[in-house]
Amino acid sequence: MIASTQTNHPIASLSSDRNPQTPIDFACSRLKASGLRITQPRIAILSSLIQRSMPASIEQIHGDLPPDTCDLVTVYRCLAVFQEIGLVRLSYFHNGTSAYQITLNNEEPPYHVICKDTGKIEELDAANAAELRAVLGRIEESLRARGHESVSHIAEFFIGKSKLAEEMAGRRGAAEVPQAIQQRSQSSVPVP
């Protein structure tokens, strides 16, 4: 197992005046700017998060790492530190599992639609996400105006099976439902 010591990795020597070009460079510069060391386990965990487009559980992230990179406890600790400095966003699956997604450049956090039956995760469409972000932003500002500090939120949406897919499967049998309809009904998100 690799110890959590400072690394001689080329990106460990990033200076604050250099403009990082890759996501891993940028993530490491955020670590450094926060006064954190750049270690091999942290680099491996950041690389795993960068490669994923959707939130992942700690176990999934640990599974992505090369053998003997670090133990599961190190992944927990690193993700907690990354969350504190705003480098990752915490989400939840419907069963209460914590999931993490990297947030580079302090971009707007995505909101997710999670299927309770399949575990499939999709981002909420841009129009609804923008409207939700605006409403939640107003609520956060109202709470800050009342004197509350460190105001934040987590919003996820959970869905069951698509009724269209169930109806089609009931009429024709699951094997006869065209693949395009199955994919479309699995990927569509009902808009209120």
Side-chain angles (χ1 to χ4, degrees), residues 90-140:
L90 176 64
S91 300
Y92 291 102
F93 292 150
H94 78 283
N95 62 2
T97 301
S98 297
Y100 296 85
Q101 184 173 21
I102 194 140
T103 55
L104 298 173
N105 298 325
N106 291 325
E107 65 228 15
E108 295 292 340
Y111 297 104
H112 301 102
V113 178
I114 304 161
C115 180
K116 294 186 286 187
D117 298 318
T118 64
K120 184 176 178 181
I121 305 170
E122 298 175 2
E123 282 191 24
L124 187 64
D125 64 275
N128 282 322
E131 186 176 341
L132 179 62
R133 202 172 283 115
V135 169
L136 291 173
R138 286 193 302 272
I139 293 169
E140 285 185 356

Side-chain angles (χ1 to χ4, degrees), residues 17 26 33 50 58 69 73 83 100 103 109 120 123 135 137-138 142 156 161-162 166 174 184-185:
D17 58 326
F26 185 79
I50 289 168
I58 291 173
T69 301
V73 173
Q83 185 182 359
Y100 296 85
T103 55
K120 184 176 178 181
E123 282 191 24
V135 169
R138 286 193 302 272
S142 170
E156 305 295 346
K161 288 183 181 174
S162 166
E166 288 177 7
R184 185 175 59 234
S185 67

Side-chain angles (χ1 to χ4, degrees), residues 158-174:
F158 303 100
I159 59 172
K161 288 183 181 174
S162 166
K163 291 191 186 259
L164 175 62
E166 288 177 7
E167 289 174 13
M168 296 294 288
R171 279 188 267 166
R172 296 187 193 168

Side-chain angles (χ1 to χ4, degrees), residues 180-191:
I181 292 175
Q182 286 179 357
Q183 289 174 344
R184 185 175 59 234
S185 67
Q186 289 174 354
S187 66
S188 63
V189 177
V191 179

Side-chain angles (χ1 to χ4, degrees), residues 9-119:
H9 195 277
I11 57 180
S13 62
L14 285 176
S15 64
S16 58
D17 58 326
R18 183 175 155 209
N19 188 10
Q21 298 300 314
T22 66
I24 193 71
D25 288 340
F26 185 79
C28 287
S29 68
R30 294 260 313 263
L31 289 177
K32 200 167 188 173
S34 297
L36 299 170
R37 292 180 301 149
I38 300 171
T39 63
Q40 289 295 342
R42 287 178 178 167
I43 291 169
I45 293 165
L46 288 169
S47 295
S48 170
L49 288 165
I50 289 168
Q51 290 173 0
R52 290 182 168 270
S53 61
M54 291 292 163
S57 70
I58 291 173
E59 291 79 10
Q60 290 171 320
I61 295 165
H62 184 255
D64 290 347
L65 304 179
D68 298 327
T69 301
C70 63
D71 59 13
L72 193 58
V73 173
T74 302
V75 177
Y76 273 94
R77 289 178 182 155
C78 287
L79 289 171
V81 169
F82 295 167
Q83 185 182 359
E84 278 181 37
I85 65 170
L87 195 53
V88 298
R89 177 182 179 269
L90 176 64
S91 300
Y92 291 102
F93 292 150
H94 78 283
N95 62 2
T97 301
S98 297
Y100 296 85
Q101 184 173 21
I102 194 140
T103 55
L104 298 173
N105 298 325
N106 291 325
E107 65 228 15
E108 295 292 340
Y111 297 104
H112 301 102
V113 178
I114 304 161
C115 180
K116 294 186 286 187
D117 298 318
T118 64

Side-chain angles (χ1 to χ4, degrees), residues 137-148:
R138 286 193 302 272
I139 293 169
E140 285 185 356
E141 285 304 313
S142 170
L143 292 170
R144 283 187 195 96
R146 291 190 217 163
H148 299 290

